[in-house]
Amino acid sequence: MREVDLHVHTTASDGTMSPAEVVRYAKEKGLRAIAITDHDTIEGLDEGIREGKVQKLEVIPGLELSVDYPKGTMHLLGYYIDPDCSQLVEKLMVVQKARSERNFKMLKKLQELGIEVGLSELKRVAGHGQIGRPHFAQIMVQKGYVNSFQEAFDHFLRKGGPAYVEKFKFSPEEAMRIIVEAGGVPVLAHPFTLNQLNKRELEELILELKEKGLEGIEVYYPDHTVQQREFYRYLAEKHGLFISGGSDFHGQTKEGVELGEGYGDIELPYSLVEELKAKRRARFMRA
Ligand code: AMP
Ligand code: ZN
Ligand code: FE
Ligand code: FE
C-alpha cells in the first residue's frame, strides 16, 4: 500500500512546490502521511502542518541536515523535531548565514568563468526559500549558458566542479545531538551517497553512528538498487534500527521522481509512521 512518504522537499529548500502545495498534492495522490524534510531549514513546517490539518493529512515535522563526511555525502534526517526548540533554531541560523556566504562565493566563481548569475535572479527563482545550487542551475539553463540542469552540475556546480564551494556542515555527532535535543529521531538518509562500497565498513560506520544516537536508516529510496535496499534492510534489522523510506521529492528539480512513488517502485505503508511514533515514545520513556 502506498500510504506515506518520509522524505519530501518544498520551496523552503530546493523543492518546487510550496509546503501547502506538497500537502495538497500528497492528499490528491491518496497518501496518509508525509514528512517534510527540507535541507537545513524548518521554515516550511508551519505552513505544511497547517495545510495538513485542512486536508486531514498527517504532516511529520522533519528536516535533513548535511553532515561532514569526507568520503562521500552524508545526510541525516530528523523526524518529529520541535520547530520551536531554540537550540535548533539557533544552529540553523548559523547554517543559513554560512549558506548565503557560500552562494556569494559561487556567484563570484561563475562570474570569473564568464557566467553572470545575479543575486536578485537567485532570489526570484528561490522565492522565499533558501538559495542553493539547483537555483543556480535553473538560471544557467534559463540564460542559455548550459543546455540542461544536469549539464550545469556536470560542468560547473558538482562537488569539486569549477564553480563549487564547500558547504558548511555539522559533524555527525553534533547533527545527531541537534536533532535529539529538538526531540527528533535521527535517521541516516540514502546511505548509498556515503560511497561506502565495502559492506563491512558500512556496517562499522552505522554502528559508530548508532552509538552516537542514530535510530534509523533510509532503506527505500529511488536511487537505491534492489541489492542496496536488501543490504540496508538487513543492517537495520540486525541492529534494531528503524527502516525508513521516501522519494526525496523535489518537484521539478528532480525529474522523474514522484511523490510517494520515486521512480514507481516505492510503496510505503502507514505502519512506518507507527513505528516512528513508537521510537519517539520510547525516547520520552527513557528521558
Ligand atoms: P546545495 O545545498 O546548494 O549544495 O545543493 C544540493 C542540491 O543540489 C541537492 O539536493 C540536489 O538537488 C542537487 N545536486 C547536487 N549534486 C548534484 C549533481 N551532481 N547533479 C544534479 N543535482 C545535484
Ligand atoms: Zn535537495
Ligand atoms: Fe539528501
Ligand atoms: Fe533530500
Side-chain angles (χ1 to χ4, degrees):
M1 261 183 298
R2 203 164 260 153
E3 294 178 316
V4 303
D5 190 331
L6 298 181
H7 191 156
V8 178
H9 293 269
T10 77
T11 48
S13 62
D14 54 355
T16 56
M17 282 189 192
S18 71
E21 282 167 345
V22 165
V23 169
R24 286 195 289 271
Y25 190 49
K27 186 71 187 182
E28 268 171 44
K29 303 213 80 170
L31 297 180
R32 284 178 66 186
I34 62 168
I36 293 182
T37 54
D38 278 304
H39 300 284
D40 305 321
T41 179
I42 52 174
E43 294 291 317
L45 296 183
D46 266 3
E47 182 185 317
I49 288 167
R50 243 183 298 125
E51 188 63 19
K53 285 183 183 141
V54 175
Q55 301 293 335
K56 298 199 165 40
L57 181 115
E58 219 173 308
V59 175
I60 297 163
L63 88 174
E64 182 175 23
L65 292 178
S66 294
V67 178
D68 192 30
Y69 183 69
K71 285 188 196 168
T73 298
M74 189 188 288
H75 287 174
L76 205 60
L77 294 158
Y79 296 124
Y80 289 109
I81 44 111
D82 171 10
D84 295 323
C85 169
S86 59
Q87 241 227 75
L88 173 68
V89 172
E90 194 187 318
K91 292 288 179 187
L92 292 180
M93 276 168 66
V94 173
V95 187
Q96 295 305 327
K97 185 164 175 285
R99 180 179 276 279
S100 87
E101 287 165 8
R102 171 194 189 228
N103 286 335
F104 199 70
K105 285 184 194 159
M106 289 200 290
L107 207 137
K108 286 273 173 222
K109 280 194 160 185
L110 282 170
Q111 205 172 45
E112 282 162 20
L113 294 160
I115 295 174
E116 295 291 337
V117 173
L119 199 55
S120 59
E121 292 173 303
L122 286 167
K123 282 184 178 155
R124 179 173 47 76
V125 175
H128 296 297
Q130 69 181 356
I131 298 167
R133 284 181 290 161
H135 304 113
F136 282 83
Q138 268 171 268
I139 295 167
M140 288 161 75
V141 175
Q142 277 171 20
K143 295 178 88 171
Y145 289 117
V146 288
N147 291 317
S148 69
F149 184 85
Q150 196 52 51
E151 197 182 309
F153 271 93
D154 292 346
H155 292 182
F156 299 100
L157 301 168
R158 71 181 155 76
K159 190 168 183 162
Y164 181 75
V165 175
E166 208 43 68
K167 192 156 67 170
F168 168 87
K169 293 175 190 123
F170 295 113
S171 68
E173 297 80 6
E174 183 160 31
M176 216 97 68
R177 196 176 48 74
I178 292 167
I179 290 171
V180 170
E181 285 188 8
V185 179
V187 169
L188 179 66
H190 43 68
F192 86 107
T193 64
L194 296 169
N195 293 335
Q196 198 82 41
L197 300 173
N198 183 315
K199 287 186 173 180
R200 195 177 49 83
E201 279 172 19
L202 178 61
E203 183 165 15
E204 278 166 12
L205 175 66
I206 282 172
L207 280 175
E208 260 174 55
L209 293 173
K210 190 187 168 192
E211 263 171 37
K212 291 170 184 155
L214 187 75
E215 294 195 64
I217 306 179
E218 187 173 49
V219 171
Y220 298 101
Y221 186 84
D223 298 304
H224 287 166
T225 64
V226 173
Q227 289 81 0
Q228 283 169 332
R229 290 173 204 209
E230 274 172 13
F231 183 60
Y232 302 151
R233 192 185 170 90
Y234 158 81
L235 286 182
E237 282 172 349
K238 183 172 171 190
H239 299 296
L241 293 162
F242 168 64
I243 293 169
S244 192
S247 67
D248 205 2
F249 182 69
H250 277 71
Q252 285 162 28
T253 31
K254 258 198 183 173
E255 265 174 46
V257 173
E258 208 20 88
L259 186 66
E261 305 175 19
Y263 298 126
D265 60 353
I266 286 187
E267 202 172 325
L268 304 163
Y270 186 77
S271 57
L272 287 189
V273 174
E274 283 161 349
E275 283 172 41
L276 199 50
K277 284 180 180 163
K279 280 266 177 216
R280 192 166 157 248
R281 271 196 304 273
R283 161 94 51 69
F284 283 121
M285 304 286 276
R286 282 198 301 273

